[in-house]
Amino acid sequence: MAAVTIDSLLQNPTLLFRPKAKVLLKPPRSLDCSRNRKLPLSRGSCFCSFNPRRTIHVVRASSSETALIGNFDTSSSDDILYKDIFPVKRIEKVEGKFFIRLDRSKDQHDWQLTVGCSLPGKWILHWGVSYLGDSGSEWDQPPKGMRPPGSIPIKDYAIETPLKKLSEGDIFHEVKIDFNPSSEIAAIHFVLKDEETGAWYQHRGMDFKVPLVDYLEDDGNTVGAKRVFGVWSGALQQFSNVLLKSEASHADSQNNSIESKDSKNKNRCLEGFYEEQSIVKEVSVGNLVSVAVRKSPETGKVIVCLETDIPGDVVVHWGVCRDDAKIWEIPAAPYPPETTVFKNKALRTSLQPKATGNRSGALFTLDEEHFGFLFVLKLDDNTWLKFKGNDFYVPLLGTSSVLDQYGQSDSTTEEISSKSYTDGIINEIRNLVSGLSSEKSQKTKTKEVQESILQEIEQLAAEAYSIFRSSITTIPEEVVSETETTKPAVKISSGTGTGFEILCQGFNWESHKSGRWYMELKEKASEISSLGFTVIWLPPPTESVSPEGYMPKDLYNLNSRYGTFDELKELVKSLHDVGMKVLGDVVLNHRCAHFKNQNGVWNIFGGRLNWDDRAVVADDPHFQGRGNKSSGDNFHAAPNIDHSQEFVRKDLKEWLGWLREEIGYDGWRLDFVRGFWGGYVKDYLEASEPYFAVGEYWDSLSYTYGEMDHNQDSHRQRIVDWINATNGTAGAFDVTTKGILHSALERCEYWRLSDQKGKPPGVVGWWPSRAVTFIENHDTGSTQGHWRFPGGKEMQGYAYILTHPGTPAVFYDHIFSHHRSEIANLISVRNRNGIHCRSLVKIVKAERDVYAAIIDEKVAMKIGPGYYEPPSGSQRWSLALEGRDYKEGCRPSLIILFASAIVVSFFTPKYIGVIDLRARLDQVIIGAS
């Protein structure tokens, strides 16, 4: 029996109708279906600050500590200083069986295709058919009589049918499709979908195809009995009969001139088959970690009791800290049994099984001098568990709670945010004044631009002064005590958000193909938020001629290939519930018409905004508009809208306001803003009052004889001019930085990452607060690949943008890939050190094979194979993160993050480094944690 090989859509995204998703698959093998095997997670990342790959030293357990085990009763609260339960989630892999069977139905006249799966879940068969004479790979919906009960049509090309158990004791979920072999259907196509995880199971990167006629070619995704000499193989007698039929057919052909194609298409030689494949499903499992702290009345020491219901061998990687900087240290003995020292920076303790219940735990005895207890859980070499993206933290003084430690509002955080914001304003004013005063800058900037920059300086100064005044407590004379002071809030600007934003692009070029992308993204909302993202960019929501949404038609029709109007509202609400802001992708430059004019040209619009050809610019010959000339570059695939028309601006402002109110969008990603003047953008943003806005000003960089020029000032100047035209109300994607990173990393020319004045060479070097940095998006990467980032260099690119000023944007495909853990840890370093859109960069090295910089005197980073060692002096360093970034055919490079503790002196030419820097421990910079 031939085995079916199922491939992941994530690995080979060629499915025409379904979204990309993460699936786990196993090669063909025999399988005992009587039970499900639970497999350890094979991929993961060390989330703590240390790399678990060194020789360790065994530490003997203290007898006094051993005596404590079993004597810690946490049921009494008299002497409990702290007690809490941490919920954690982990991933288990469950293996099952997936089968396909074709045989005759009970009446022996029709045939029946059965698809089943032994794993629990909400399994859906996403399927369609192709007919005789069809060309290409598009599906059609099957006849209504062929659709099993409970089937739901998906657009006009597929059917979704749920798999169900035939009885309570049955281990298989399955669905049966009956069909008449004499119909015009040539093949049945399908994929299997698990709605619980969003995974799609394919056949060799394509949909499964079951041919119902004997002449279809095997294009790699065909399943069923194999053919020999153009017919289906089977038993020897069947094969002999086929040969006899072939000879008879040959004799008949001598009497007839030629068999017609229609007659050939009718010939079928169906043969039943049964094929199966083992598959693996990722299952999210919830567990608890309970921690209690008490003070021993006999010894005066602090005792920490840690227990968990996580099964298997669990190792606690732990340490203590002396202040709220949470810098790991090794405490003095005694230690629990089975404890080892790791790199002289932390301890590892294997949890011991409890006598009752499926639990394990350990007791830790600590001196009173310690401020907090830090730990992460190690399940295996690649699987580590944290709490909400951070190390578990337990206060030892009983003065804090878990909510205080992880993101809830408190006065310290608010004061830090305000100081970081005002410091950033001052730095930006300095940058603007420096740029304005330079001789070269004055030559290249018009008088209007200079005046606009001066206005920006005045606005920033006013903001800084306002925050300064609001931070001064005024005590009226009549108030003697208990005076309340108002803490300043962080200023929000549509061009920057809070200044600490990290943007996630929440889709790729293929996301529309499922028809249910909104619901699939909703399931990932908590996961995306937990990685540290604060803003998410959703795809274009409107009805569109192109399925991706970038050829909008009726702007008020929000039923798109990504989902329905109600599903979009539900998704936005879910994202808000996990604390994320949501950007809508709005296409204002062009719009597809509903009707032709008297000359047969498509330039008359329908729907709620039923504009005529006055709304179309006059200088695009393709669409014969009667408006004014365009204020930018024309997009020739659709009518370009004339934003100089007052009725157009009025309607668009009302539409944006409707999206804000009805859907709940917090801001905008503005498509193809090169097509119209930035002043119109300013008008739209002031009317819709977004939390954050970014424009796509895409322009070609400068090249000489095919090689990118080092000086890209003219390119970034055009982007800065557009931002300036919006009066700074919007940021812009830093295409300059992306292009320069391409050449620097691909050609090992890291000197390109510094301009002639020693600043970053992109928009981030001139106007960092308005630069949205990125390395990939749906156009450049995904399946389009118009300008794909150098392969194997992605993490170097993210090490750059996630440690530098500007607002970094991360592409969806990279988040849900093997880069995920490295990206999450880089985001964590950025957040812990308060790096923001106005942070200062000091480039310390930009040579052929190495680039290094220090940001805000807190974080130092290095990329490239060359040598760099950070200055030691009075600074202190320690390893915080380690991950690998490989390039095919070259030696591996390491990405390394460091935090303050000891001077690091083991850099070698193979390291790429990001270093977390602080001054002396008694002079910790505000905002670093």
Side-chain angles (χ1 to χ4, degrees):
M1 182 181 300
V4 181
T5 301
I6 309 178
D7 288 334
S8 166
L9 179 57
L10 180 64
Q11 298 167 343
N12 192 356
T14 57
L15 181 60
L16 295 176
F17 307 100
R18 293 148 298 277
K20 188 174 294 188
K22 180 180 180 182
V23 297
L24 295 167
L25 306 147
K26 297 288 288 183
R29 53 173 293 181
S30 60
L31 179 68
D32 179 6
C33 294
S34 62
R35 61 188 177 89
N36 290 335
R37 292 181 60 202
K38 293 185 178 182
L39 306 176
L41 188 62
S42 61
R43 277 188 177 180
S45 173
C46 172
F47 287 104
C48 71
S49 302
F50 310 98
N51 177 24
R53 288 194 299 272
R54 290 292 177 91
T55 303
I56 53 180
H57 306 283
V58 177
V59 180
R60 294 185 180 276
S62 167
S63 58
S64 60
E65 172 65 16
T66 306
L68 290 173
I69 295 179
N71 297 329
F72 192 176
D73 181 11
T74 60
S75 61
S76 174
S77 59
D78 294 341
D79 58 350
I80 299 296
L81 301 177
Y82 173 92
K83 184 177 181 180
D84 214 327
I85 297 176
F86 299 81
V88 293
K89 286 188 177 182
R90 58 189 177 84
I91 301 297
E92 282 189 354
K93 295 179 184 178
V94 182
E95 186 175 327
K97 183 167 65 175
F98 165 66
F99 77 89
I100 308 165
R101 182 174 64 240
L102 180 68
D103 54 14
R104 289 187 180 274
S105 60
K106 293 180 180 180
D107 59 11
Q108 295 297 310
H109 295 295
D110 290 342
W111 283 74
Q112 188 176 74
L113 177 69
T114 306
V115 179
C117 182
S118 66
L119 289 178
K122 294 182 179 179
W123 295 101
I124 300 291
L125 192 73
H126 187 101
W127 65 287
V129 300
S130 57
Y131 289 92
L132 298 173
D134 282 354
S135 60
S137 56
E138 295 292 325
W139 295 6
D140 289 305
Q141 288 184 344
K144 290 186 178 180
M146 187 177 170
R147 305 174 189 179
S151 298
I152 300 174
I154 302 299
K155 304 296 182 179
D156 58 353
Y157 52 77
I159 294 291
E160 286 194 349
T161 305
L163 277 64
K164 298 180 180 179
K165 287 187 177 182
L166 298 181
S167 63
E168 283 298 325
D170 198 344
I171 66 170
F172 282 102
H173 294 74
E174 60 182 46
V175 62
K176 299 179 183 294
I177 300 172
D178 294 316
F179 62 92
N180 190 319
S182 62
S183 68
E184 297 293 320
I185 297 174
I188 298 175
H189 309 259
F190 67 89
V191 291
L192 189 64
K193 176 185 178 184
D194 181 9
E195 285 204 329
E196 286 185 350
T197 63
W200 297 77
Y201 295 88
Q202 294 181 273
H203 182 36
R204 299 171 184 168
M206 297 176 283
D207 51 272
F208 292 86
K209 181 170 73 173
V210 179
L212 306 183
V213 294
D214 61 3
Y215 70 91
L216 291 184
E217 294 182 3
D218 186 352
D219 51 7
N221 60 342
T222 299
V223 294
K226 301 303 179 183
R227 292 173 293 166
V228 179
F229 303 115
V231 295
W232 298 98
S233 65
L236 181 59
Q237 181 61 43
Q238 292 172 319
F239 183 67
S240 301
N241 292 339
V242 169
L243 290 179
L244 291 174
K245 290 179 181 179
S246 178
E247 291 178 0
S249 176
H250 180 67
D252 292 340
S253 68
Q254 293 178 345
N255 299 326
N256 301 300
S257 58
I258 188 170
E259 182 181 14
S260 68
K261 181 178 180 181
D262 290 340
S263 176
K264 178 184 177 182
N265 288 346
K266 299 291 184 180
N267 291 338
R268 301 172 186 264
C269 189
L270 285 179
E271 181 177 334
F273 69 87
Y274 177 87
E275 295 188 5
E276 69 179 42
Q277 170 74 22
S278 61
I279 63 174
V280 177
K281 175 181 175 181
E282 280 191 343
V283 179
S284 178
V285 179
N287 292 103
L288 299 175
V289 178
S290 60
V291 181
V293 181
R294 75 173 177 88
K295 188 174 182 179
S296 173
E298 296 83 7
T299 64
K301 291 182 178 289
V302 175
I303 302 173
V304 178
C305 175
L306 187 151
E307 289 189 4
T308 182
D309 59 354
I310 299 173
D313 298 328
V314 180
V315 175
V316 179
H317 192 101
W318 63 282
V320 295
C321 61
R322 297 182 180 275
D323 53 36
D324 58 7
K326 299 184 179 69
I327 299 171
W328 287 55
E329 294 183 11
I330 294 179
Y335 304 134
E338 296 193 26
T339 296
T340 58
V341 177
F342 177 72
K343 292 186 178 180
N344 292 322
K345 302 182 190 303
L347 297 167
R348 285 182 176 174
T349 300
S350 297
L351 296 187
Q352 302 299 308
K354 294 292 183 179
T356 58
N358 297 321
R359 299 176 65 84
S360 59
L363 292 178
F364 307 86
T365 303
L366 305 171
D367 293 331
E368 281 188 283
E369 62 183 11
H370 299 303
F371 187 83
F373 179 80
L374 299 159
F375 69 95
V376 292
L377 300 179
K378 179 177 178 290
L379 306 187
D380 57 50
D381 286 340
N382 296 311
T383 308
W384 298 72
L385 295 182
K386 300 175 67 178
F387 182 67
K388 295 185 177 181
N390 296 286
D391 298 342
F392 290 90
Y393 173 72
V394 177
L396 299 181
L397 303 180
T399 58
S400 302
S401 68
V402 172
L403 291 180
D404 293 332
Q405 308 305 321
Y406 298 101
Q408 301 300 319
S409 59
D410 57 49
S411 59
T412 303
T413 303
E414 202 162 337
E415 290 170 3
I416 289 171
S417 300
S418 296
K419 186 179 188 306
S420 300
Y421 181 74
T422 52
D423 288 347
I425 289 177
I426 294 170
N427 293 334
E428 185 164 345
I429 291 175
R430 289 171 179 165
N431 292 338
L432 289 171
V433 171
S434 175
L436 188 64
S437 62
S438 67
E439 181 179 354
K440 183 175 181 180
S441 175
Q442 290 181 1
K443 290 180 180 179
T444 57
K445 291 183 174 66
T446 63
K447 181 178 179 181
E448 291 79 8
V449 172
Q450 293 181 26
E451 291 177 352
S452 181
I453 294 177
L454 289 172
Q455 291 176 3
E456 172 81 0
I457 293 174
E458 291 175 0
Q459 291 175 2
L460 291 169
E463 290 176 14
Y465 181 72
S466 174
I467 293 176
F468 167 73
R469 290 293 300 167
S470 65
S471 65
I472 299 176
T473 304
T474 302
I475 305 177
E477 292 180 2
E478 60 271 17
V479 177
V480 179
S481 63
E482 299 186 59
T483 303
E484 294 185 359
T485 61
T486 302
K487 298 181 179 64
V490 174
K491 177 73 174 180
I492 306 296
S493 166
S494 58
T496 64
T498 62
F500 294 87
E501 309 304 341
I502 301 177
L503 173 64
C504 161
Q505 180 177 1
F507 63 101
N508 60 33
W509 191 249
E510 303 296 318
S511 295
H512 67 278
K513 290 188 174 179
S514 71
R516 300 187 67 256
W517 183 250
Y518 293 149
M519 292 297 93
E520 292 168 18
L521 198 59
K522 176 187 172 184
E523 299 300 320
K524 295 182 171 68
S526 296
E527 186 177 0
I528 293 171
S529 174
S530 68
L531 295 175
F533 292 101
T534 62
V535 182
I536 186 168
W537 156 25
L538 299 185
T542 56
E543 175 202 18
S544 171
V545 171
S546 64
E548 296 80 16
Y550 289 102
M551 299 283 280
K553 197 172 180 183
D554 183 357
L555 299 186
Y556 280 90
N557 182 355
L558 301 189
N559 293 314
S560 70
R561 292 291 183 92
Y562 298 100
T564 66
F565 174 89
D566 291 333
E567 289 172 343
L568 175 59
K569 290 185 67 173
E570 190 176 342
L571 168 61
V572 172
K573 181 181 183 302
S574 297
L575 291 166
H576 285 162
D577 288 344
V578 296
M580 297 187 70
K581 301 294 184 181
V582 183
L583 303 187
D585 198 330
V586 290
V587 184
L588 304 179
N589 175 76
H590 51 272
R591 182 185 171 197
C592 293
H594 292 71
F595 312 104
K596 298 179 182 179
N597 66 2
Q598 65 275 15
N599 299 325
V601 177
W602 294 89
N603 61 12
I604 308 299
F605 304 92
R608 183 165 166 180
L609 301 183
N610 54 347
W611 302 332
D612 58 18
D613 53 4
R614 292 175 301 157
V616 180
V617 298
D619 53 349
D620 186 347
H622 298 86
F623 298 104
Q624 299 180 6
R626 292 192 296 121
N628 297 311
K629 289 185 177 181
S630 176
S631 58
D633 297 330
N634 282 329
F635 178 78
H636 296 296
N640 287 252
I641 301 305
D642 179 13
H643 295 268
S644 69
Q645 301 283 4
E646 185 175 352
F647 74 90
V648 168
R649 296 198 305 277
K650 176 178 178 294
D651 285 348
L652 289 179
K653 285 187 282 188
E654 288 180 357
W655 177 62
L656 292 173
W658 177 78
L659 289 176
R660 289 272 277 138
E661 181 177 354
E662 190 67 26
I663 303 301
Y665 283 127
D666 301 290
W668 317 116
R669 182 266 184 184
L670 303 160
D671 183 67
F672 198 76
V673 296
R674 210 178 79 190
F676 56 105
W677 178 48
Y680 298 133
V681 173
K682 173 179 177 291
D683 194 17
Y684 298 142
L685 297 187
E686 288 179 345
S688 60
E689 298 182 340
Y691 172 90
F692 186 80
V694 55
E696 181 207 29
Y697 192 97
W698 200 276
D699 200 2
S700 297
L701 281 81
S702 302
Y703 292 84
T704 301
Y705 300 116
E707 183 174 342
M708 181 182 290
D709 296 339
H710 178 214
N711 189 331
Q712 295 292 337
D713 288 355
S714 60
H715 184 269
R716 58 175 167 174
Q717 183 65 62
R718 290 191 292 272
I719 299 177
V720 166
D721 288 345
W722 178 83
I723 300 172
N724 213 29
T726 74
N727 200 30
T729 56
F733 287 109
D734 194 348
V735 182
T736 317
T737 291
K738 173 177 169 62
I740 293 171
L741 276 172
H742 267 254
S743 286
L745 274 58
E746 188 172 42
R747 301 163 62 95
C748 197
E749 295 175 345
Y750 291 85
W751 48 267
R752 291 182 178 274
L753 295 176
S754 177
D755 67 10
Q756 295 174 339
K757 294 184 178 180
K759 293 184 177 182
V763 177
V764 74
W766 277 2
W767 205 342
S769 66
R770 301 306 192 271
V772 177
T773 53
F774 70 108
I775 69 168
E776 206 83 288
N777 63 26
H778 62 292
D779 285 321
T780 66
S782 193
T783 53
Q784 285 208 99
H786 288 328
W787 195 21
R788 198 179 301 281
F789 202 74
K793 303 290 187 179
E794 292 87 356
M795 286 315 303
Q796 289 193 52
Y798 282 122
Y800 183 92
I801 69 172
L802 286 170
T803 57
H804 278 56
T807 300
V810 182
F811 183 39
Y812 181 88
D813 288 7
H814 292 158
I815 298 170
F816 293 95
S817 74
H818 61 283
H819 297 309
R820 169 178 167 156
S821 60
E822 292 98 327
I823 290 172
N825 286 321
L826 283 168
I827 291 174
S828 177
V829 168
R830 183 181 183 90
N831 288 335
R832 288 201 312 271
N833 290 278
I835 304 301
H836 50 87
C837 70
R838 296 181 175 91
S839 290
L840 292 180
V841 177
K842 178 184 178 183
I843 298 175
V844 295
K845 211 165 190 179
E847 300 174 359
R848 183 190 63 83
D849 59 353
V850 60
Y851 170 84
I854 296 177
I855 299 90
D856 281 350
E857 297 299 327
K858 301 178 188 177
V859 173
M861 62 84 63
K862 168 191 176 290
I863 55 177
Y867 175 82
Y868 169 71
E869 182 174 342
S872 54
S874 61
Q875 288 99 10
R876 299 185 175 190
W877 313 76
S878 71
L879 183 63
L881 171 66
E882 192 171 340
R884 288 193 176 274
D885 183 10
Y886 293 93
K887 185 175 186 296
E888 184 178 354
C890 297
R891 61 184 177 179
S893 299
L894 296 178
I895 295 179
I896 305 172
L897 303 180
F898 294 90
S900 59
I902 60 172
V903 176
V904 174
S905 60
F906 55 88
F907 277 85
T908 73
K910 72 177 182 179
Y911 285 147
I912 307 168
V914 178
I915 303 147
D916 184 4
L917 164 66
R918 300 190 189 103
R920 296 190 183 100
L921 295 180
D922 58 349
Q923 296 176 351
V924 176
I925 297 175
I926 294 178
S929 61

